[in-house]
Amino acid sequence: MCGIAGWVAFDADLTARTDVIERMTATMTARGPDEGGVFVRRHAALGHRRLAVLDLPGGRQPMTAETPQGTVALVYSGETYNYRELRVELRRCGHRFRTDGDTEVVLRGYLEWGDAVAERLNGMYAFAVWDERTQTLLLVRDRMGVKPLYHHRTPDGVIFGSEPKAILANPAFRRVVDTGCLRELVGFTKAPGWSLWKDMYEVEPGTVVTVDRDGVRRRDYWRLEPRPHADDADATAGRVGELLADIVPRQMVADVPQCVLLSGGLDSSVVTALAAVEMRGRGEKARTFSVDFAGLEESFRPDEFREAPDSPFVRDVVAHVGTEHRDVLLDSRELADPALRRAVVSARDMPIGLGDIDSSMYLLFRAIRAESTVALSGEFADELFGGYIWFHHPAARDADTFPWLAFQNTYTADRTDLLRPELRRALDITAYVADEYATAVARVECPPDENPFERRMRVIGHLHLTRLVRAMLDRKDRMSMAVGLEVRVPFADHRLVEYVYNTPWSLKTLDGREKGLLLRAAGHLLPRSVTERRKSPYPSTQDDGYAAALQRQARDVLAEAGHPTFEIVDPAWVHDIVRRDPATVTGATRTGLERVLDLYHWLDIYRPELRLG
């Protein structure tokens, strides 16, 4: 896992601008703490920061291949899990390898197949190839969007990076945020290609972007498509089990210590059980980590999302499958530390406002990084198998909008409440969300003979797999890579996604259970307490002291009356919240206060030019 950056300028001599690519690359140091390098030619500059995971002595980048017609250079972030099979195939084609890792396989795959190399890769990756022979840049991103990649078009080329901060380090980019940029931040539809910064865009998952003197072109090399599903319940569950039994060991290839993130929920427990089987075959124990909050188990209060704390279920899994386990225990003082919030906002490059959920994840990953470099996660299973509560909530499921926005409880609220009234009117979030929803639904292909209910569930599944899950993957990537930890996502393997996406909802909910298909496929590996547990989200602190600390910090922000925070936020909303009893600052209200503080730090760090008129 690594960080990449680059600049292509066909009307400039970049050999005189090495300092710029070095600054851009330096912003990726957290993603790649082990070593870095740059490749500079007249019209192209590539930078790379490396987190050494495979082939520790041989995987240095930028990696180049010399041909009679010129140099081809690669900067690559991620992992290709089928690199060994591809290496065998490429050797048959006459290629010789100098290294043992996956990076050279991708480079030589490009030499053999051109941009069609993308279709052959199984993994999580974002990479750039500069081909001196044709003066062409290629940007490629994995099918699901596990690894991030952004770009900005210039009059004579492009600037790109794993994260926006790499592009922001280039003086050719203007740090402008306007109302168009803010609509998605508030609306939370995860519009394809969106970034918070004006004229900066994601390279969309499953695409190849080509840049040459003729301009910028995009090719989709993968998308979700409807396919017939003829397997019955037992055969479907068997196929899911077979795929998972291949995927998890395949993703456990590393030359550094690795572990599993364990919450005691179904998804992470399945990954843990399969990882434990693989490690026993190697004569070792799987290592697991969980996050918990001081005093939470003893004082836990059930709510609409969480019926019980995670800890008892974690212990059951550890005892059942036999892992070497560690709990990372946090307290509210750590979570409320402004320095931590600042670090999290810097990692995300935007004030996303998930509060202590982001902060606790950052602290968990930082603790894990002291003992491990790679972690496996159960992320993606809820979106794939239909685990979220709104999949099973008729009002949210049938609403003419995104289900995660339609679902209502104490944790949901009007995300525009805290905005200045004039900005709220200018953004018109209701109309924005409606337009995005219509666009998203129009992209869903459905078989002509699918019944209306199955068609609706296909649409909802598509929305989650092409919209919501990308936000969740980005969050996990940013929090982990900010501390140099590589998180792998077995449930995001495209073979599993293609198969389960086309499985009827009646099979996904086998035995009348949420994620019943996954239970049928892998439940035999788990303790009964976990197989009978209902979906529970990532934990959050219930300590009133955390809310009180947020109120104190918000009062300090209010004291800076001229701060640009209040070009966006209504100070009257903040005044109201800071006067309340901390015990009542919960759910959506607390989340809103966290968004205000995130925004304050983001404005302080990035100093954007706001155009909100």
Side-chain angles (χ1 to χ4, degrees):
M1 194 68 65
C2 310
I4 66 175
W7 186 11
V8 169
F10 292 108
D11 295 338
D13 182 358
L14 296 186
T15 60
R17 306 299 304 274
T18 302
D19 59 318
V20 176
I21 189 61
E22 288 176 344
R23 285 199 303 274
M24 293 173 64
T25 305
T27 66
M28 299 290 98
T29 299
R31 297 185 71 90
D34 295 326
E35 58 187 354
V38 298
F39 167 94
V40 182
R41 293 295 185 269
R42 183 176 179 83
H43 298 307
L46 308 179
H48 185 267
R49 289 295 315 185
R50 185 186 185 207
L51 175 65
V53 171
L54 282 172
D55 188 17
L56 305 190
R60 293 184 178 89
Q61 299 184 50
M63 186 174 286
T64 60
E66 300 299 331
T67 77
Q69 295 78 34
T71 303
V72 177
L74 168 73
V75 284
Y76 166 83
S77 170
E79 305 294 341
T80 296
Y81 302 123
N82 64 333
Y83 77 98
R84 289 171 172 166
E85 297 97 313
L86 291 174
R87 183 197 301 275
V88 171
E89 187 175 354
L90 287 164
R91 277 182 172 147
R92 288 178 184 147
C93 295
H95 292 268
R96 296 182 180 181
F97 288 85
R98 308 185 306 268
T99 65
D100 296 325
D102 58 343
T103 303
E104 190 179 7
V105 171
V106 174
L107 176 58
R108 297 203 163 272
Y110 169 79
L111 293 175
E112 183 66 28
W113 301 304
D115 71 1
V117 66
E119 284 92 331
R120 294 174 177 265
L121 304 180
N122 176 323
M124 55 177 195
Y125 47 82
F127 62 87
V129 177
W130 171 252
D131 194 329
E132 192 78 6
R133 302 171 300 181
T134 57
Q135 298 286 286
T136 299
L137 176 76
L138 211 66
L139 300 175
V140 182
R141 193 171 177 206
D142 69 68
R143 295 169 180 84
M144 302 304 152
V146 181
K147 301 298 12 163
L149 185 58
Y150 294 81
H151 68 301
H152 164 67
R153 294 178 64 169
T154 64
D156 68 335
V158 70
I159 306 166
F160 67 89
S162 291
E163 298 178 5
K165 58 176 63 70
I167 297 172
L168 296 175
N170 190 306
F173 184 79
R174 294 190 63 182
R175 300 184 174 207
V176 174
V177 173
D178 63 12
T179 50
C181 303
L182 288 180
R183 284 190 181 96
E184 175 56 37
L185 183 72
V186 178
F188 197 57
T189 74
K190 195 58 178 81
W194 174 83
S195 90
L196 181 55
W197 303 93
K198 183 175 173 57
D199 298 326
M200 185 192 300
Y201 303 94
E202 283 188 303
V203 173
E204 291 187 37
T207 65
V208 174
V209 174
T210 302
V211 184
D212 58 22
R213 291 183 181 275
D214 293 328
V216 179
R217 300 178 301 281
R218 162 185 158 163
R219 176 177 74 85
D220 294 346
Y221 73 87
W222 185 89
R223 70 177 190 271
L224 277 176
E225 296 177 321
R227 297 177 182 175
H229 187 91
D231 294 342
D232 64 15
D234 288 339
T236 300
R239 179 59 179 155
V240 170
E242 290 170 4
L243 284 167
L244 288 171
D246 173 74
I247 291 164
V248 172
R250 186 181 288 272
Q251 295 197 15
M252 294 181 70
V253 176
D255 296 329
V256 292
Q258 53 190 312
C259 65
V260 184
L261 307 175
L262 175 61
S263 70
L266 175 63
D267 314 330
S268 67
S269 298
V270 168
V271 175
T272 296
L274 290 168
V277 171
E278 172 66 14
M279 294 306 289
R280 277 198 296 274
R282 303 180 189 181
E284 302 176 43
K285 263 191 172 185
R287 302 167 71 239
T288 50
F289 289 83
S290 299
V291 67
D292 200 3
F293 300 96
L296 178 64
E297 186 172 0
E298 296 76 18
S299 61
F300 181 81
R301 302 187 298 270
D303 60 28
E304 295 162 274
F305 277 145
R306 303 172 181 87
E307 295 180 345
D310 288 344
S311 298
F313 301 97
V314 168
R315 290 193 291 268
D316 287 350
V317 175
V318 169
H320 188 80
V321 307
T323 71
E324 180 184 317
H325 184 73
R326 178 189 163 193
D327 287 312
V328 176
L329 196 64
L330 309 176
D331 65 44
S332 60
R333 288 173 298 177
E334 287 180 283
L335 292 172
D337 184 350
L340 172 61
R341 184 171 299 278
R342 196 174 182 87
V344 168
V345 169
S346 180
R348 296 296 300 266
D349 286 320
M350 59 182 174
I352 197 66
L354 292 181
D356 73 303
I357 294 176
D358 275 355
S359 301
S360 63
M361 184 174 284
Y362 180 96
L363 292 173
L364 168 66
F365 289 160
R366 189 173 69 181
I368 292 173
R369 184 61 177 90
E371 302 179 37
S372 185
T373 309
V374 173
L376 269 63
S377 165
E379 195 79 76
F380 209 99
D382 282 317
E383 293 83 359
L384 182 59
F385 289 93
Y388 289 120
I389 189 172
W390 45 79
F391 275 95
H392 311 274
H393 190 281
R397 185 185 64 210
D398 300 334
D400 195 24
T401 189
F402 298 98
W404 57 90
L405 298 181
F407 181 75
Q408 296 293 314
N409 72 353
T410 56
Y411 286 88
T412 60
D414 183 349
R415 293 167 65 88
T416 67
D417 277 352
L418 56 80
L419 301 178
R420 295 186 69 92
E422 62 273 23
L423 180 59
R424 192 183 311 144
R425 289 190 293 271
L427 292 177
D428 194 1
I429 296 301
T430 300
Y432 171 78
V433 170
D435 288 346
E436 282 299 318
Y437 178 72
T439 298
V441 171
R443 293 183 177 181
V444 185
E445 300 175 58
C446 297
D449 58 345
E450 202 164 44
N451 70 57
F453 179 74
E454 286 289 352
R455 179 181 294 255
R456 178 59 186 166
M457 298 315 295
R458 178 183 293 277
V459 168
I460 291 176
H462 195 280
L463 296 177
H464 282 77
L465 295 172
T466 60
R467 294 271 185 152
L468 183 63
V469 79
R470 294 178 183 177
M472 300 299 104
L473 291 171
D474 184 74
R475 163 181 171 249
K476 186 147 286 182
D477 174 86
R478 299 301 191 89
M479 292 299 98
S480 60
M481 294 308 295
V483 296
L485 177 70
E486 173 177 301
V487 174
R488 300 177 179 178
V489 191
F491 286 109
D493 184 291
H494 71 277
R495 298 168 298 159
L496 182 67
V497 173
E498 290 168 353
Y499 186 76
V500 175
Y501 172 68
N502 284 293
T503 298
W505 182 250
S506 58
L507 292 182
K508 289 177 185 172
T509 52
L510 278 173
D511 306 315
R513 298 284 305 277
E514 64 181 35
K515 292 188 283 193
L517 175 57
L518 182 57
L519 277 166
R520 180 81 67 90
H524 62 282
L525 300 169
L526 307 176
R528 185 174 179 181
S529 61
V530 172
T531 62
E532 294 180 349
R533 187 186 187 190
R534 290 182 59 193
K535 160 72 181 170
S536 184
Y538 187 86
S540 179
T541 182
Q542 295 183 334
D543 186 350
D544 295 341
Y546 176 70
L550 297 180
Q551 290 175 302
R552 289 192 296 271
Q553 292 169 31
R555 291 189 193 101
D556 292 340
V557 174
L558 283 168
E560 299 183 44
H563 196 274
T565 297
F566 299 109
E567 294 181 40
I568 298 173
V569 171
D570 183 356
W573 185 91
V574 183
H575 275 291
D576 174 53
I577 303 303
V578 299
R579 287 195 295 262
R580 297 183 185 182
D581 181 342
T584 68
V585 180
T586 60
T589 304
R590 193 178 85 179
T591 300
L593 200 55
E594 289 172 318
R595 289 193 185 113
V596 172
L597 295 173
D598 283 357
L599 179 63
Y600 171 82
H601 287 292
W602 175 76
L603 289 165
D604 215 37
I605 296 167
Y606 291 95
R607 308 281 177 168
E609 177 186 343
L610 296 177
R611 296 181 183 174
L612 307 179

